Amino acid sequence: MSDPYILVLYYSQQGATRQLAEQIAAGIEEVPGISARLRTVPSVSTVCEAVASEIPPEGAVYASLDDLRDCEGLAIGSPTRFGNMAAALKYYLDSTSSLWMNGALINKPATAFTSTSSIHGGQEATLMTMLIPLLHHGMVYAGVPYSAKALFDTTSGGTPYGASHFAGPKNDRTVDEHERALARFQGRRLAKLAKALKPLREE
Ligand SMILES: Cc1cc2nc3c(=O)[nH]c(=O)nc-3n(C[C@H](O)[C@H](O)[C@H](O)COP(=O)(O)O)c2cc1C
């Protein structure tokens, strides 16, 4: 049995969503007694014969089903794709029926994060698309409450639905001060919720 961890599961083609994932992980690691496990998913291809290497070119290693089954909570992140999560992440989620049948994720906390190239390019809609399968799994969704002061101050990313990043049309804006503060807040909150909800799962 591994030590308790929150799974930070993300897909990132150009690195923007990965920056947010790392900030959420840093927030989780600030809470004693629980750690962050960063995992990604392989890209999907229109070429039927394409097979992904087992080692990703950059970032975290690929998530297994066991990574998800055994986590204490989940932070899931994707760049927006026309206001929706990326197919690669959806493909991974579509492989989780066995966990759903066994109720493996019921009463575990979850949250979502995203990155877009335009400021009103669908951040909140994308976060909602990731929320839906988590509700089917019986997870307890946690956004970012307005006690996170940066929600009032940000002029870029950061929403009450979850952390977000405005990467700019060339995807070259790095995560700024407010986006970082909100991602860390979200990570800390998720870790605290995972600890608080644990007794409920053991009933
Ligand atoms: C097929 C496709 C659709 C996209 N749709 C949107 C969109 O609707 N709104 C938006 O602002 N950005 C859109 N983008 C841009 C990415 O979401 C954005 O560059 C994001 O920051 C990339 O994150 P990453 O660096 O983690 O890959 C799209 C990109 C692709 C490839």
Side-chain angles (χ1 to χ4, degrees):
M1 194 69 173
S2 63
D3 291 335
Y5 66 89
I6 302 277
L7 180 63
V8 183
L9 176 66
Y10 69 92
Y11 176 69
S12 183
Q13 204 167 33
Q14 298 181 73
T17 311
R18 189 175 79 219
Q19 288 181 53
L20 273 186
E22 288 163 356
Q23 293 304 323
I24 288 174
I28 291 165
E29 298 276 351
E30 286 173 28
V31 178
I34 197 154
S35 62
R37 182 179 291 187
L38 275 159
R39 292 289 183 268
T40 187
V41 293
S43 296
V44 290
S45 171
T46 50
V47 183
C48 300
E49 294 82 12
V51 177
S53 155
E54 283 180 19
I55 311 288
E58 56 182 347
V61 300
Y62 295 134
S64 67
L65 274 189
D66 288 351
D67 285 326
L68 184 56
R69 187 195 60 210
D70 297 337
C71 73
E72 300 293 323
L74 171 69
I76 189 168
S78 171
T80 192
R81 293 284 186 264
F82 306 121
N84 212 307
M85 80 176 100
L89 201 61
K90 178 72 165 50
Y91 188 78
Y92 175 86
L93 289 174
D94 285 357
S95 75
T96 62
S97 309
S98 60
L99 304 188
W100 173 77
M101 279 191 280
N102 293 323
L105 303 180
I106 290 174
N107 289 344
K108 294 184 181 184
T111 196
F113 55 99
T114 190
S115 175
T116 62
S117 61
S118 52
I119 199 157
H120 299 297
Q123 296 186 349
E124 292 173 354
T126 305
L127 295 167
M128 296 291 276
T129 67
M130 288 186 277
L131 153 66
I132 291 166
L134 308 182
L135 291 179
H136 280 254
H137 270 293
M139 301 192 91
V140 181
Y141 190 81
V144 180
Y146 275 86
S147 50
K149 196 180 153 295
L151 272 184
F152 290 102
D153 299 333
T154 183
T155 53
S156 53
T159 84
Y161 302 72
S164 62
H165 171 49
F166 162 51
K170 296 188 177 143
N171 219 47
D172 57 358
R173 277 189 79 254
T174 51
V175 169
D176 70 26
E177 175 198 354
H178 294 126
E179 293 171 335
R180 186 182 315 115
L182 290 166
R184 288 207 178 206
F185 187 104
Q186 186 176 14
R188 276 194 304 278
R189 182 172 191 233
L190 188 66
K192 288 178 192 166
L193 285 170
K195 291 169 82 173
L197 286 174
K198 196 166 175 73
L200 191 64
R201 295 204 301 280
E202 286 166 354
E203 272 174 10

